[in-house]
């Protein structure tokens, strides 16, 4: 998932030479709405040699994933661009995300046609448009009038986030959040779990699998495990600190709730809380080895 700058640069150059991929397509939009400093780019291209498709001709799809990375803050996705070149039609969709991986802007560009939607709490509003009369020239998008509806845009965004997760390794936060909630619910609804007491900790087993650990001192700490890996932790509040929640996928923290605040992954406070919880968890887990 982590890319070396030189390798990425060589990859981009080679792809531009051999397949005319413009890896920076859409940067003018990203620069307008977000920060483009120190972004890494990974590119996936389908049919980059333009081999002709029967009855279609050219059929190429280029997907570029733009993200920041540091050893401390790990990856944070900024934009996904998807460019289609099918027969005589070329068009591009841009999905621009905030630090929480919420869709902030959706842009459709085809020739002189341009539509820019701004998203607030998953509600879209059209903030700029031009060349609307040419939209009907693209007969490869849905003609049922729903292609630019909020639900359809969000669905396409989720699909591209899944591609990013599978190929690049940056998780789809919303999907992983639902997975965590479902596993948490199944664990706490399971009345057949077996308890094992270790000092001040109680382990809960589903058969041979340790799925939950509860520690009670001045506050209650709950840890939820899958294959002995932490996917969720919850700390109750005390006089000094509010409630704390940590969400992980494959040991990768992607969400920290501190009281009522959803902490940005690009801030030190996110990682200091995540590191504290993971250190606590590793220490208490050792009692169940």
């Amino acid at each position: 998932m982590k890319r070396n700058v030189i390798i990425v640069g060589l990859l981009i150059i080679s792809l531009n030479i051999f397949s005319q991929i413009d890896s920076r397509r859409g940067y003018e939009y990203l620069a307008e709405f977000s920060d483009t400093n120190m972004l890494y780019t990974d590119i996936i291209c389908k049919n980059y040699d333009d081999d002709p498709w029967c009855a279609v001709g050219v059929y190429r799809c280029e997907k570029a994933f733009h993200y920041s990375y540091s050893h401390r803050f790990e990856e944070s996705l900024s934009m996904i661009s998807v460019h289609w070149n099918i027969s005589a039609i070329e068009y591009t969709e841009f999905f621009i995300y905030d630090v929480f991986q919420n869709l902030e802007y959706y842009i459709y560009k085809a020739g002189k046609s341009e539509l820019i939607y701004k998203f607030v709490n998953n509600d879209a509003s059209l903030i700029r448009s031009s060349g609307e009369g040419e939209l009907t020239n693209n007969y490869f998008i849905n003609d049922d009038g729903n292609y630019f509806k909020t639900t359809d845009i969000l669905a396409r965004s989720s699909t591209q986030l899944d591609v990013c997760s599978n190929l690049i390794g940056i998780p789809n936060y919303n999907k992983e959040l639902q997975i965590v909630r479902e596993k948490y619910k199944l664990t706490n609804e399971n009345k057949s779990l077996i308890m094992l007491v270790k000092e001040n900790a109680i382990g809960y087993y589903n058969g041979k699998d340790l799925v939950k650990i509860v520690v009670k001192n001045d506050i209650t700490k709950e840890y939820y495990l899958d294959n002995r890996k932490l996917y969720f932790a919850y700390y109750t509040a005390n006089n000094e600190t509010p409630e704390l929640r940590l969400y992980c996928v494959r040991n990768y923290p992607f969400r920290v709730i501190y009281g009522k605040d959803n902490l940005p992954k690009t801030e030190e406070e996110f990682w200091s809380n995540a590191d504290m919880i993971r250190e606590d968890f590793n220490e208490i887990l050792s009692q169940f080895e």
Side-chain angles (χ1 to χ4, degrees), residues 106 108 115 117 135 141 145-150 152-153 156:
Y106 166 79
Y108 171 89
L115 298 174
Y117 291 86
L135 290 175
I141 66 175
N146 292 324
Y147 195 80
F148 298 110
K149 294 291 182 65
T150 298
D152 281 39
I153 294 173
R156 293 199 298 279

Side-chain angles (χ1 to χ4, degrees), residues 181-215:
R181 287 173 172 169
E182 183 62 25
K183 290 194 293 188
Y184 171 89
K185 180 181 178 182
L186 290 174
T187 296
N188 285 307
E189 289 180 349
N190 189 343
K191 305 303 181 182
S192 62
L193 297 181
I194 301 171
M195 289 193 305
L196 178 62
V197 178
K198 293 277 189 175
E199 298 179 7
N200 64 331
I202 303 175
Y204 293 82
Y205 288 80
N206 183 15
K208 295 182 179 180
D209 297 327
L210 180 62
V211 296
K212 179 180 176 181
I213 300 174
V214 177
V215 180

Side-chain angles (χ1 to χ4, degrees), residues 141-195:
I141 66 175
N142 297 341
D143 60 356
D144 57 7
N146 292 324
Y147 195 80
F148 298 110
K149 294 291 182 65
T150 298
T151 52
D152 281 39
I153 294 173
L154 289 172
R156 293 199 298 279
S157 169
S158 182
T159 297
Q160 300 310 326
L161 289 171
D162 285 343
V163 174
C164 182
S165 177
N166 292 332
L167 297 180
I168 310 304
I170 301 175
N172 181 337
Y173 292 174
N174 285 331
K175 179 165 287 188
E176 295 299 337
L177 180 62
Q178 297 307 314
I179 292 173
V180 167
R181 287 173 172 169
E182 183 62 25
K183 290 194 293 188
Y184 171 89
K185 180 181 178 182
L186 290 174
T187 296
N188 285 307
E189 289 180 349
N190 189 343
K191 305 303 181 182
S192 62
L193 297 181
I194 301 171
M195 289 193 305

